Amino acid sequence: MICENISINAGGHLTFAGQDTVELAERYGTPLYLIDEARIRNNCRQYLSAMKEHFGGESKPLFASKSLCFKRIYEIIKDERLGIDVVSSGELFTAVQAGFPVENAYFHGNAKTDFDISYGMDCGVGHFVCDNADELTAIEREAAKRGIEQKILIRLTPNIDPHTHEKIATGKIDSKFGVAIETGQARELTRQALSSPHIRLEGFHAHIGSQIFDCTPFCDEAAVMVDFMAKIKEQLGFEASVLNLGGGMAVRYTESDPQIDYAENIHKISVVIKERCAALGLKLPTVLMEPGRSIVAAAGMTLYTATGKKEIPDVKNYLSVDGGMPDNPRYALYQSPYTVINASKADKPCSCLCTVAGRCCESGDLIQENVRIAEPSRGDVIAVLTTGAYNYTMSSNYNAIARPPIVMLNEGGSYIAVRRETFEDLTRCQL
Ligand code: LLP
C-alpha cells in the first residue's frame, strides 16, 4: 500500500488510520474529507527533531497554512510547537481564533494590502516576510505610526529551477515573488530595511516551488542564500541571523513516485549550510523551513459515493462520483496524479480501467484518468488518497455545491472538525 496508514479489513473494506472507511462514509455522508491526526503529529515531530538535530539552536519548521487551514489544525500545530506561515489576513484570523500564539507566525504574500499590514500588527504577528520595496515602505509607515520596531525577513528570488509543474515553481528570476539577487534589487531592499529605525531585519527567505522530489535544488538554494548573506555582510556590514528556506518537499501520490526521506534531505541541506558558512566566515543562522504538503497531504483522504459507471465502447469508461473539482480542483488545474481505490471492494482485483469524473457541468471536472479499481457499482465508496494538502483550502462552491465536512481520526475514534456546509451556508452572504 502506498501509505502506512491504510489497510484492508476482514470485510474487504479499505481502512484509514485503522478505521473502516465504508462505515465512516455511512456515518458522516459523502463527499467526506478525513484527516489522520496522528500522522500529522508524527510528521511535525520528524521535521522538528531533524531540524533541531542538524541545524540546532532555535531552528524549526513553520507549517504552511495554505496547505490546510482550519482552527483544529492550528491547535495541533501549537501542541507540536511548530511556527506557522500565513499568506492572508484570513489565515491569520483563523490562527488567532484557534488561540495560536501568532508571535510565532510569519506573514507572507506578494500583494499585502495596507489592511493586511495593519491587521497583522494589531494581531501581534511576529514577522512579515517582505516581498518588495513598496511593501517595505508600507510596513515602515505602519510601524512608525505605532512607534514599534517590526521584525521582518526579506524574500529573495534565488533563480533556482526546481523542475516541478510551472504553476507551482516560484524561485526563478521571472517569478512574481520576492526580489532578485542578480539584478541588485535584493541588496537595495536590504539597504532600505537596514536604514529604517522602525524595521528590524533579521534575515532572508526564499521558496523555490512545491512538490519537488530531488534534494539538489534545495541544496543549491541554500548555497545561493548563504553566498548572498556573505556578500551582504561584506558590503553592508549586516550579518543575517535567520535563513528561511521555504517549503516544497514532495509527497508520494502514487506507487510510481519515489520514497522521500525528509530527515536525510534536511541533513544534506545542513551540510551545505555549515560548510559554506564556515568557508565564508559566517555564524550559523537559525534555519527555518515551511513545509505544508509534506506535513498534511498523506494525512488526508477523500471519500465519495459512486453514482454510476458509463461505458463508451472502444473509447473509455467513466465512473462518476458525488464530488469533484469543487472539493479537489488539482487534477483540473495541474493534472495531479492520485491513487484511487474502491473502498467497498478493496480486497477485489482491480479489473476496471476508468476515468473518475466529478459531478460538475464541465468536461474537465475529473479526479483522475485511467485508473484501475475493483469493478464499481452505484453506491460503492470510492477513496482518493493523499488529499490532505491543497484540497480543502482550494475548494469552492462551484455549481452551488456545498463543501464536505472534515472528520478527524485519532485513537479515540473520529470527530467533526469542520461541519458540512448547508444550503443556507450557500446563500448566507446573498442579500
Ligand atoms: N512557503 C511558501 C512561501 C509557499 O509559497 C509555499 C507554497 C509553501 C511554503 C509550502 O509549500 P509545500 O511544502 O506545501 O510544497 N496549490 C498548489 C501548491 C501551491 C504551493 C504554493 N506555495 C498545489 O495544489 O499543488
Side-chain angles (χ1 to χ4, degrees):
M1 286 284 191
I2 176 157
C3 310
E4 67 248 29
N5 54 353
I6 66 172
S7 184
I8 301 171
N9 66 16
H13 294 171
L14 182 72
T15 67
F16 186 48
Q19 301 187 38
D20 185 314
T21 55
V22 177
E23 281 176 25
L24 289 163
E26 270 165 25
R27 178 157 170 211
Y28 295 105
T30 58
L32 174 63
Y33 295 119
L34 298 175
I35 297 286
D36 173 357
E37 189 176 324
R39 181 78 189 231
I40 293 189
R41 291 185 185 276
N42 283 341
N43 291 344
C44 289
R45 286 169 203 179
Q46 275 181 22
Y47 257 101
L48 190 62
S49 69
M51 289 189 69
K52 291 264 176 240
E53 180 186 343
H54 298 297
F55 298 128
E58 298 296 301
S59 296
K60 66 175 176 199
L62 313 173
F63 172 63
S65 303
K66 71 208 82 185
S67 61
L68 189 62
C69 172
F70 58 92
K71 289 195 285 184
R72 180 67 188 136
I73 284 300
Y74 289 113
E75 290 170 358
I76 294 170
I77 298 296
K78 177 183 164 191
D79 278 357
E80 298 301 330
R81 303 188 314 282
L82 270 60
I84 53 169
D85 109 26
V86 297
V87 75
S88 70
S89 295
E91 286 183 352
L92 183 58
F93 171 80
T94 312
V96 169
Q97 291 282 300
F100 190 87
V102 296
E103 65 268 20
N104 298 324
Y106 288 69
F107 200 147
H108 273 282
N110 64 304
K112 298 179 193 78
T113 61
D114 289 348
F115 173 82
D116 291 329
I117 293 167
S118 87
Y119 182 71
M121 288 183 191
D122 285 345
C123 292
V125 82
H127 291 77
F128 284 86
V129 181
C130 178
D131 184 87
N132 57 66
D134 286 343
E135 181 188 312
L136 182 61
T137 307
I139 296 175
E140 254 179 314
R141 195 186 320 120
E142 201 55 42
K145 226 194 276 174
R146 291 155 195 264
I148 60 166
E149 195 188 29
Q150 177 61 54
K151 290 182 284 188
I152 69 159
L153 304 179
I154 289 178
R155 178 159 181 171
L156 307 178
T157 325
N159 206 9
I160 306 281
D161 184 351
H163 301 293
T164 186
H165 193 286
E166 63 171 52
K167 287 189 184 154
I168 54 175
T170 48
K172 293 197 273 175
I173 190 155
D174 59 356
S175 169
K176 72 167 180 169
F177 300 103
V179 277
I181 296 176
E182 286 104 304
T183 58
Q185 286 158 308
R187 189 186 51 235
E188 268 325 293
L189 192 57
T190 304
R191 194 195 303 277
Q192 184 189 337
L194 291 173
S195 69
S196 168
H198 294 288
I199 296 289
R200 189 187 332 153
L201 176 64
E202 292 198 335
F204 300 101
H205 168 276
H207 169 78
I208 56 173
S210 198
Q211 188 59 3
I212 302 166
F213 282 99
D214 188 5
C215 189
T216 312
F218 295 109
C219 291
D220 293 348
E221 175 198 6
V224 169
M225 298 293 281
V226 173
D227 288 357
F228 177 76
M229 283 160 52
K231 282 221 176 65
I232 288 295
K233 183 180 174 194
E234 184 192 309
Q235 294 174 358
L236 304 180
F238 167 72
E239 185 160 3
S241 58
V242 177
L243 170 58
N244 183 332
L245 296 172
M249 288 196 204
V251 301
R252 294 183 80 211
Y253 284 100
T254 63
E255 294 281 0
S256 61
D257 285 335
Q259 296 277 0
I260 306 152
D261 185 338
Y262 301 110
E264 182 51 28
N265 282 0
I266 288 168
H267 171 62
K268 284 185 187 152
I269 297 166
S270 76
V271 170
V272 172
I273 294 179
K274 285 176 187 161
E275 285 180 2
R276 215 102 178 166
C277 283
L280 297 167
L282 293 177
K283 289 198 285 286
L284 268 189
T286 295
V287 179
L288 304 173
M289 294 174 89
E290 298 171 334
R293 192 190 309 267
S294 49
I295 300 276
V296 293
M301 177 186 282
T302 306
L303 300 180
Y304 301 102
T305 300
T307 56
K309 184 177 147 194
K310 187 179 293 181
E311 288 175 31
I312 309 176
D314 304 324
V315 180
K316 59 165 74 170
N317 299 319
Y318 278 107
L319 172 68
S320 295
V321 296
D322 60 352
M325 64 192 288
D327 61 81
N328 183 359
R330 296 192 68 258
Y331 189 75
L333 274 173
Y334 321 114
Q335 298 76 51
S336 309
Y338 279 105
T339 300
V340 183
I341 297 176
N342 185 339
S344 303
K345 297 170 184 156
D347 59 341
K348 299 282 181 305
C350 294
S351 54
C352 175
L353 178 67
C354 60
T355 285
V356 182
R359 63 179 302 172
C360 287
C361 233
E362 64 179 80
S363 308
D365 174 22
L366 304 175
I367 295 286
Q368 202 62 207
E369 289 180 278
N370 300 323
V371 291
R372 283 201 172 273
I373 62 170
E375 188 58 40
S377 322
R378 183 174 165 92
D380 283 354
V381 175
I382 305 298
V384 178
L385 276 50
T386 331
T387 57
Y390 305 110
N391 273 232
Y392 174 68
T393 51
M394 293 178 73
S395 64
S396 74
N397 288 130
Y398 185 43
N399 286 185
I401 291 168
R403 284 184 179 78
I406 300 180
V407 166
M408 309 290 294
L409 307 179
N410 64 15
E411 279 173 5
S414 58
Y415 63 94
I416 297 175
V418 179
R419 68 157 172 79
R420 186 180 297 283
E421 282 182 346
T422 61
F423 290 154
E424 285 69 33
D425 290 327
L426 293 176
T427 53
R428 199 175 42 201
C429 303
Q430 302 172 19
L431 305 178

